[in-house]
Amino acid sequence: MDYSIYRTRFREGLRLVSETVSASVATTSCGAAESDGCRNDAAALRLKIAAIASILIAGVVGVALPLVGKKRRFLRTDGGLFIFFKAFAAGVILATGFVHMLDDAEDALTDPCLPESPWRRFPFSGFVAMLAALATLVVEFLGTQFYERKHRDEAQDVIAAAASVAVSAGEEITVALLPPETEERNKAIHIIGMHAHAAEHSHLHSHHGHDHGFAHVHGHDNEAQVSSHVRHVVVSQILELGIVSHSVIIGLSLGVSRSPCTIRPLMAALSFHQFFEGFALGGCISQAQFKNLRAVLMAAFFAVTTPTGIAVGAAVASFYNANSPRALVVEGLLDSVSAGILIYMALVDLIAADFLNTSLSCNTKLQAASYAALLLGALAMSALAIWA
């Protein structure tokens, strides 16, 4: 029997298998870098510097507009123009969560470089995003409870002090409470009326043999205002957390790239994205009525996050491997968390809070314009996914 034919066929089979495996490894290698077709380190570095400047300017302008314009008629937080642009920005954030962050997370966590089990056996990107959204709900609820309790305790302390003054002076004092954390914090209690003491109108009552002074506090009319203020405080802080977490990722992604073909569209997309995210965040900070220093610090922290990420990425680009399994898992999980936070904030705290507001529902023209702005913002940010 001639075994030479079988040996030849066996060798041919081994050669074909070897070529197939080699081609597969070349295509899906975890250590593979960007395609060398458009790689130019010097040009990429120049573009990164330009991107840092462009994105920083876009972020500063976007977040500063609502803060600077809140005392001007054209950008007051209760004005139609502000509501229109905020709706557009909400659409941008919603599309960022659904179209960009969630899709990037899925790509990273289903990459062939990762083992099939467990990463490709379960949709971790959607699952982690869901958990992040639920965690955001819990944090927002607890934060709201904390600030409301804090305000209530402060109000009770001031009321007790006012009642003590009323007892010693024998006068009736009427006060109105303002929300905390405003620039008028030191004037939180306003004396509305001070009337001469009259026996028939006295509000001094005996309780277990002791006299107590009761100050009439007109807090009921302000209760809704205080609740709304507290909500804006919590929303602004959680929104900044969500934006900052994904800004770090996208900044690093641009910074480690060594391809001008990749950086150019990213620079334009991120500048657009940074401007409108900054506008939405600046609007929330403005509505929260933080003190000037705190508002500036929050705005500055947002503005520098993405440029800092780019700078760090550029510094580690020579040895950082974005396709390593560890980097893919970290990036995928952070993108999923960011997507969950941004989707929740966009739908619940930006869109629902504004579109279900009575001031908007009573104005048909403004409502239609806001819906159009929301759709345009979502479509514009979604379209950028073609390039970045």
Side-chain angles (χ1 to χ4, degrees), residues 283-303:
C284 290
I285 294 174
S286 178
Q287 289 175 318
Q289 298 178 338
F290 289 120
K291 291 182 179 179
N292 289 335
L293 178 60
R294 188 172 181 181
V296 169
L297 289 176
M298 291 181 69
F301 188 60
F302 159 78

Side-chain angles (χ1 to χ4, degrees), residues 97-98 100-111 114 118-133 328-341 343:
F98 273 118
H100 291 266
M101 306 311 298
L102 200 56
D103 182 67
D104 289 347
E106 185 176 0
D107 287 345
L109 295 178
T110 58
D111 193 278
L114 297 180
W119 301 108
R120 292 197 294 279
R121 290 184 178 272
F122 186 80
F124 278 98
S125 56
F127 179 71
V128 173
M130 177 189 70
L131 292 181
L328 289 169
V329 170
V330 172
E331 179 183 346
L333 292 178
L334 288 178
D335 280 345
S336 299
V337 170
S338 300
I341 295 174
I343 291 170

Side-chain angles (χ1 to χ4, degrees), residues 66-72 178-190 225 229 233 285-296:
L67 298 177
V68 174
K70 66 180 179 180
K71 295 182 180 179
R72 290 168 175 76
L178 288 177
E181 301 281 350
T182 64
E183 294 178 1
E184 295 83 11
R185 178 67 179 271
N186 294 330
K187 300 178 182 178
I189 302 298
H190 285 271
Q225 180 186 359
H229 167 77
V233 170
I285 294 174
S286 178
Q287 289 175 318
Q289 298 178 338
F290 289 120
K291 291 182 179 179
N292 289 335
L293 178 60
R294 188 172 181 181
V296 169

Side-chain angles (χ1 to χ4, degrees), residues 43-57 254 263 267 271 310:
L45 181 59
R46 288 194 296 270
L47 285 173
K48 289 173 191 178
I49 295 173
I52 289 174
S54 173
I55 292 171
L56 180 62
I57 292 171
L254 189 151
I263 296 174
M267 180 170 62
S271 297
I310 296 173

